[in-house]
Every structure is written in structure tokens, then in C-alpha cells.
Amino acid sequence: MSRLPIRIRLTLPFAVGMAVVLAGAGLFIYVRVGGALLSSVDQRLRVQAQEVSGRLERGRTPFDRDSADGPTVAQLVDAGGIVVQSTPRTLRPILAGKPLSRALSGATIWKSGSIAGLANDWRVLAVPARVGGGRGAIVVAESLEPREDALHRLVREFMLGGPVALLLAVLAGYAVAAAALRPVEAMRGRAAAIGASTPEKRLPVPPTRDELARLAETLNDMLGRLESALEHERRFVDDASHELRTPLALLKTELEIALRQPRSRNELEEALRSAADETDRLTRLAEDLLLVARADEGRLPIRLESVSARRILADVAARFEVRGNEHGRPIVVAEGPDSAVEADATRLGQALGNLVDNALVHGEGTIVLSIRAAGGSVELHVADHGSGFPTGFVDRAFDRFSRADEARGRGGTGLGLAIVELIARAHGGSAAVATGPDGGADAWIALPASKTPVPARPAALSANS
């Protein structure tokens, strides 16, 4: 059944339903017509019985075959059950036994069945009457053959017309199903033509504004999202290829220069040191790309626990202390109350490290790490005293391979802030950047506050805090 086309699967239940409806309608009509015909026969029998009773009361011959209302089959029975008069005269008793006894005792009797000596089925009516000065009964009967002939004709018409009506109904149902599914076929054909080379194409939306139209709109929205994701991935691959090409080209150049002619020991050490720097850059870029890929697949490993925000900031400050001192850039943790956050300490430290590294590369002055409570969230800020973010960069700061300085020669990969946002989202938080009111760049991560108090163990703060 599941392999049949949807049109057939829709039409078959409709056909079965129509067959049931037609059969039920035919049975209903048959019963109603049969009942109406039988009621008509009963009414004529009542009239005939009244006619016979009236003639008896007037002392006339009870059965007048020349009368239009006179019975063609009738009997007059006395109190002893003896047939006094009969038409036709040779007719055997129509009623006998219990039905006759009940009629003689004053009951009105209706009966359908055969009569001895007569063909077909008959409808019989027996009513009490005065016969010979005593109790008796008038028995009249009418053939049911016309009723049966009419019902047989009705059945034949049903047997001929029913299948024709069912066939027409099924064809109409199939046509309706085909018309209803025509937009689906149009969408299927268009969908088959959409590929990676034509992601801008969309499915046709039926003008009916029904479920199919809403389905087409939903699918078009999905195609739009897929197109955006595909374009995003294309840009990602292009940028990643460019980022990989640059250090590889530099690494190859350094090695070729070192091998081109004899070099002194110092020159070889310098070439190898430069190659090692480019190798480190390649390693960091590969790790960043792997983290981004895992985050896109929803597989970024996060182990949440209640941790001290101040302890995380202190650990980051200590990790970058030597590098900051080399650049004359102190890194301090601002004074203030501590807060507990639900976070993976390693991943959160990685994100904050990216913010500090960004401040070291692009900012100026002292780098300040601070904690701010904001409603049910805790914000971990990294601020410097430089010139802040360029105009227009804030809106695209977290885009992959996005740089404040579009030149690619300043050592960054353009993934640092993107990774910060990925880690923040993995924690159920967010990341943001802004230029401070007094200048300088301010970047922060907002995380849900932990309901668990700050751990009691002392924080290992840096010497500059």
C-alpha cells in the first residue's frame, strides 16, 4: 500500500467510503419504498374490510366483485371458524389456527405470506364482524406481487446505476486528488532542479493560501537559510584557504631561502625560528578551525560546574602576565565582589584568553579584567585604553575571519572573537564588544549566574591584581 502513488492512496479510501454510502443509501431507499408500498396495500385492505362490513350491516351481499373498492380475495368466517362466504368460492380458508381464533375474539390481525391455492405472497387483514347474529370475522387479502415487482425493478436499477455512480465518483475523487497534488508535483520538479550551483531558486507557492502554500513558504524559508549557510561555508572555506596559504607560503619561502645558498649558523637559526613561528601559526589556525567545526556540528565539549569568576580572570591574567610585561602592557584584575558562574573553566579561560590576546595585539595601555553583575547574568569584561573599535566593526566583530584591520599581516586569523562567541553560546550566554565612553575597546562574555555560592578556596590572583 505504501508503494502506491498518493493519488491512488487518497482515491481508494474515498472509493470505499462512496461504496458504503451508495450501499447504505440503496438499502435505505429499498426499505422506505418497500414500506411505502406495503402501507399502500394495507390502506386498500382497510378500505375493503370497511366496505364488506358496511354491506353486512346493510344486509347486502358482502362481496361485490363489480365494486371498484370490493376485494378480489376475501372470506366471511362465522364464530365456529366456518367459511360462510368466499371469493373466489373455491378458495381454501385463508386463516386458521391461532390467528383465526384471535380475529374471532375481536383482535385485528395482519399477516403476510402464501395462501393455499394461490400464487405469490399475499397481505392478509382479518377484522371482527357480526356474522349470522354472532361473532365472526372478515378476512381480505391482496397480492404482494406488484410490490415485489417494483422492488425487484428498484434493485436492478441500483445494480446497474450504483457501479456507474461509484465509478463516476471515484474518477471525480481521483481528479480532485490529482488537482490538489499538482502543486506538490510542481514543487517536486522545482526542488529537483535546485542544486549547489543554483541555491537562489525557490519553490513555486500556490495562490490558494492553504496548507500547501504554507508548506511551500516554509520550504522556501528553509532554502533561504540553507543558501545563507552555504554562502557562509563558502566564505569560510575561502578565508580558511587564504589563511592557510599565507603561512604555508611564508614557511616555504623561508626554507627555500635557507637552502638556496650556504648560510651561517645564525642565519640558519633565524630561518628555522621564522619557520617555527609560521608552524605555530598553522597549528593555532588548525586548532581554531577544528573548534569552529565542532561547534557547528553541536559537538563542542562543555563540562559545566560552579566556578569563581574572579579565579578564572586571575588565571588568565597570570597566563598572559609575561607577554604583557614584554610589551609594557600591565594586565590587572579589577577589585570588586566575586561571582559564581556555571561554566567550563578551560573553555571559558580559552575565550577570555582570546579577548586578552586581541587587546594585546590591537589595543593600548593597561588591560583591565573585571566582573559586573547584570540581572541574572555575570559579565566578564576585558578592556584596554586604546582607540577602541573602528566605526562599523562592532556589527561584524564576531564574524569569522573578520578583522578590525583588514590587512592580513598583523598575525591574527580573524577567528578569535568568533570562537569567543561560540564558547559563550555553548554556555547559554552571549558575547559583545563596544568602544568605552572614554575610548578603548571593551569586550565581554555574559554567562548565567550560578545558584551555588562562590567556592571558598582562595583564588590564585596575579601579582598585578
Side-chain angles (χ1 to χ4, degrees):
M1 183 70 176
S2 60
R3 296 182 180 179
L4 295 175
I6 294 180
R7 298 175 185 178
I8 301 297
R9 281 186 280 167
L10 290 176
T11 304
L12 285 179
F14 176 76
V16 173
M18 284 301 302
V20 173
V21 170
L22 289 175
L27 179 61
F28 176 78
I29 294 173
Y30 180 87
V31 172
R32 289 299 300 270
V33 170
L37 293 175
L38 187 61
S39 296
S40 177
V41 172
D42 291 347
Q43 181 61 29
R44 288 195 296 271
L45 289 176
R46 289 191 189 94
V47 172
Q48 292 174 7
Q50 291 174 0
E51 174 68 17
V52 173
S53 178
R55 295 177 70 85
L56 283 175
E57 291 176 357
R58 293 191 297 271
R60 299 174 60 184
T61 302
F63 306 134
D64 185 3
R65 297 179 63 89
D66 296 330
S67 173
D69 295 331
T72 55
V73 175
Q75 289 181 338
L76 192 61
V77 183
D78 62 13
I82 304 300
V83 177
V84 178
Q85 293 188 36
S86 176
T87 179
R89 295 177 180 175
T90 59
L91 184 64
R92 298 180 183 178
I94 299 174
L95 282 182
K98 264 186 187 179
L100 180 59
S101 299
R102 292 177 58 199
L104 293 175
S105 62
T108 299
I109 303 299
W110 290 97
K111 180 184 176 183
S112 297
S114 60
I115 296 177
L118 299 178
N120 303 317
D121 288 335
W122 293 74
R123 183 67 168 170
V124 177
L125 169 62
V127 297
R130 301 292 294 178
V131 178
R135 285 187 176 183
I138 299 172
V139 182
V140 292
E142 183 173 335
S143 176
L144 294 177
E145 182 179 4
R147 173 179 176 271
E148 293 174 354
D149 289 342
L151 292 178
H152 289 330
R153 286 196 301 273
L154 184 62
V155 170
R156 285 196 299 271
E157 291 173 359
F158 275 136
M159 295 299 292
L160 292 176
V164 175
L166 179 61
L167 178 60
L168 293 177
V170 169
L171 292 177
Y174 183 85
V176 170
L181 293 174
R182 193 172 295 117
V184 177
E185 182 62 22
M187 286 189 285
R188 186 205 64 79
R190 181 70 62 83
I194 297 176
S197 60
T198 56
E200 72 283 353
K201 288 188 176 181
R202 295 295 182 267
L203 303 180
V205 179
T208 52
R209 314 307 303 169
D210 55 7
E211 291 84 353
L212 289 179
R214 292 195 293 274
L215 174 62
E217 292 172 352
T218 301
L219 292 177
N220 282 336
D221 291 341
M222 181 190 69
L223 288 174
R225 293 192 297 272
L226 291 176
E227 181 184 6
S228 299
L230 183 60
E231 181 62 26
H232 186 274
E233 292 301 321
R234 282 176 176 171
R235 290 198 304 268
F236 180 80
V237 171
D238 290 342
D239 289 338
S241 300
H242 186 94
E243 295 294 338
L244 289 171
R245 186 184 302 114
T246 300
L248 286 173
L250 292 175
L251 179 60
K252 183 179 179 181
T253 301
E254 292 288 349
L255 295 176
E256 287 178 346
I257 292 175
L259 296 174
R260 186 172 301 169
Q261 56 186 356
R263 297 287 177 177
S264 66
R265 178 183 179 85
N266 291 335
E267 289 175 337
L268 289 175
E269 288 181 354
E270 183 64 25
L272 291 175
R273 189 174 294 108
S274 177
D277 290 341
E278 295 302 328
T279 303
D280 289 340
R281 183 180 176 187
L282 280 172
T283 301
R284 290 196 302 271
L285 179 58
E287 291 175 349
D288 289 346
L289 291 174
L290 179 61
L291 188 145
V292 170
R294 285 180 175 176
D296 287 344
E297 295 176 1
R299 297 189 296 110
L300 185 62
I302 295 293
R303 298 178 60 184
L304 297 179
E305 59 181 342
S306 181
V307 296
S308 165
R310 175 167 285 273
R311 181 179 180 83
I312 297 294
L313 293 180
D315 290 344
V316 173
R319 196 165 78 240
F320 283 86
E321 183 178 9
V322 173
R323 183 178 166 192
N325 292 334
E326 289 176 352
H327 291 78
R329 304 281 305 282
I331 302 174
V332 300
V333 178
E335 296 294 337
D338 196 2
S339 297
V341 293
E342 289 290 331
D344 183 318
T346 301
R347 290 296 183 190
L348 182 56
Q350 179 183 6
L352 291 170
N354 284 0
L355 295 181
V356 173
D357 181 77
N358 198 62
L360 284 171
V361 173
H362 301 285
E364 296 176 5
T366 301
I367 299 174
V368 180
L369 282 60
S370 60
I371 303 171
R372 300 179 192 175
S377 300
V378 175
E379 294 179 354
L380 306 181
H381 286 253
V382 176
D384 61 49
H385 297 82
S387 59
F389 293 104
T391 303
F393 175 72
V394 173
D395 293 336
R396 55 185 179 85
F398 296 102
D399 291 347
R400 297 170 187 179
F401 300 107
S402 177
R403 293 178 175 82
D405 179 5
E406 290 300 332
R408 295 179 183 264
R410 299 195 61 179
T413 65
L415 289 175
L417 290 180
I419 290 175
V420 170
E421 185 182 40
L422 290 175
I423 293 176
R425 288 184 177 179
H427 283 80
S430 61
V433 297
T435 299
D438 299 328
D442 185 12
W444 66 91
I445 299 173
L447 300 177
S450 174
K451 297 181 180 179
T452 305
V454 177
R457 58 187 178 181
L461 301 180
S462 105
N464 291 331
S465 61

